[in-house]
Amino acid sequence: MAYNLLKGKKGIIFGALDENSIAWKVAEKVHEEGGSFVLTNAPIALRMGKIKELAEKTGAELIPADATKIEDLENLVEKATEVLGGKLDFVLHSIGMSVNVRKGNHYTDMNYDFTTKGWDISAVSFHKTMQTLYKKDAMNEWGSIVALTYMAAQRVFPDYNDMADNKAYLESIARSFGYFFGSEKKVRVNTISQSPTPTTAGQGVKGFDGFIAYADKMSPLGNATADECADYTLTLFSDLTKKVTLQNLYNDGGFSNMGVSQQVMDTFMKEEDS
C-alpha cells in the first residue's frame, strides 16, 4: 500500500547489491512512494551485484562511487544533484565490511591493516559522505540522512568481531555530525539498529543462522525483516519525523529491551530435562 509519503523528494541510496539488501528494498519502496533517487555502490559491487536491474526497475541513474574516496563522493553528489534537478531530501548509508571477518581472523588475533580498512569502509565513509554533502550544501532543509547499524555496537556478540567496533564508531559519527547538520542546516541524522537480517553481508558472520533463530525467540514481535526495515527507513525520510535526530532507533521486534524470553527459557529447560 502506497501513501505518497515521498512525492517529489530526491535522494541517494548507497549499498544496494541484490534483492536481499535492505538498501534494495528501500529503493523499491521509495520508488513506490513517489521519491526519485540515484543508486550508488563501489565499482566492484556494481560488477558483482544485480544493481543494474534495480536501476532499470526504478528508473534510477547508477553512479559508481567508492565511499572511502572524497573525489568519488564529490563527483557522486555533483552528478546526483544535476540528474535529480536540485538539492537532496534523503540519503541512505547502507555500507559495511570487515576484512577480518572475511579472512576468518578472530577478534583476539586482528590484522590491524584489515581493521583500518574495515572502519574506513563501515564508519568513516559515513563521515566522508556527510562532510561532502555538508560542504557542497547539497541537502534541503528538513532533509534526512539514515545509516544502518546493529546492536553489537552496545552489547557483546562474540562472532560479530570488529564490525561491532565499526558500528559503534558509525553511531557516534551520526550523533556528532548530526549536531552540526541539524543546528546549521536543519537536516536530521539517525541510525536504524536492525534485527539480524539474512543479507549477503550479514551471512558472512559465523553462526549467523543460529543467531537469527535465537533473536527471533527473544523478541516479543519476532525479528524485523529487511522489508520492515525499509518501511521504517521511509518514515525517517518523510516529513512525519521532522524533529527526530541524533537517535539510534531500534527496529528489532523488542529484542533490545529483553533480558530473557519464555521461549528461550523453554528451550533451555527442555535441554536440562533431556
Side-chain angles (χ1 to χ4, degrees):
M1 182 178 172
Y3 305 90
N4 258 346
L5 272 181
L6 302 178
K7 195 176 180 183
K9 292 200 182 291
K10 307 178 285 285
I12 300 175
I13 295 174
F14 285 81
L17 186 67
D18 57 33
E19 58 277 356
N20 296 317
S21 314
I22 292 169
W24 184 290
K25 311 273 190 202
V26 170
E28 289 179 327
K29 286 176 187 276
V30 168
H31 180 60
E32 283 166 26
E33 290 295 339
S36 53
F37 49 85
V38 157
L39 290 166
T40 184
N41 213 324
I44 187 166
L46 296 187
R47 290 196 297 275
M48 287 165 48
K50 302 177 180 174
I51 193 170
K52 287 185 180 125
E53 279 176 37
L54 180 65
E56 281 164 28
K57 185 179 170 184
T58 58
E61 188 134 342
L62 198 47
I63 302 172
D66 178 339
T68 64
K69 292 183 177 154
I70 293 291
E71 58 274 22
D72 278 25
L73 290 167
E74 286 174 344
N75 176 60
L76 169 67
V77 171
E78 280 163 23
K79 283 197 173 159
T81 50
E82 197 180 299
V83 166
L84 297 167
K87 291 188 185 187
L88 308 172
D89 302 292
F90 62 86
V91 174
L92 176 70
H93 179 282
S94 178
I95 304 170
M97 200 270 289
S98 163
V99 191
N100 280 305
V101 168
R102 284 197 176 172
K103 300 286 188 187
N105 295 340
H106 194 267
Y107 190 76
T108 58
D109 187 26
M110 289 279 180
N111 173 318
Y112 292 116
D113 288 338
F114 292 169
T115 307
T116 303
K117 191 165 186 184
W119 59 245
D120 194 21
I121 294 168
S122 307
V124 183
S125 67
F126 191 40
H127 193 287
K128 289 174 179 173
T129 298
M130 286 199 282
Q131 183 170 290
T132 305
L133 292 164
Y134 179 88
K135 284 185 171 178
K136 290 194 172 293
D137 196 25
M139 297 292 296
N140 275 321
E141 280 200 353
W142 305 109
S144 174
I145 301 171
V146 173
L148 299 180
T149 185
Y150 182 54
M151 200 188 156
Q154 285 80 30
R155 299 190 191 174
V156 179
F157 295 92
D159 289 329
Y160 203 64
N161 208 307
D162 62 339
M163 272 307 295
D165 305 331
N166 297 341
K167 292 300 191 189
Y169 193 0
L170 177 85
E171 290 174 21
S172 180
I173 287 167
R175 287 186 293 270
S176 298
F177 216 122
Y179 165 74
F180 295 104
F181 241 138
S183 59
E184 292 168 31
K185 296 181 187 286
K186 295 284 181 285
V187 171
R188 55 205 198 269
V189 180
N190 296 287
T191 51
I192 294 177
S193 190
Q194 166 69 2
S195 293
T197 312
T199 59
T200 307
Q203 285 165 326
V205 177
K206 199 173 77 176
F208 200 69
D209 290 348
F211 185 64
I212 285 182
Y214 166 75
D216 204 42
K217 279 193 158 78
M218 273 289 282
S219 311
L221 297 178
N223 289 336
T225 63
D227 257 330
E228 287 162 340
C229 184
D231 285 336
Y232 193 29
T233 306
L234 255 59
T235 68
L236 290 173
F237 286 168
S238 81
D239 291 335
L240 300 176
T241 50
K242 270 187 168 178
K243 293 293 172 75
V244 180
T245 196
L246 314 187
Q247 302 302 309
N248 181 42
L249 300 157
Y250 292 98
N251 185 54
D252 65 357
F255 181 90
S256 46
N257 272 330
M258 290 299 293
V260 73
S261 72
Q262 193 60 52
Q263 272 184 292
V264 168
M265 284 297 287
D266 289 347
T267 305
F268 283 106
M269 296 307 281
K270 272 182 212 148
E271 281 176 18
E272 276 191 20
D273 292 343
S274 57

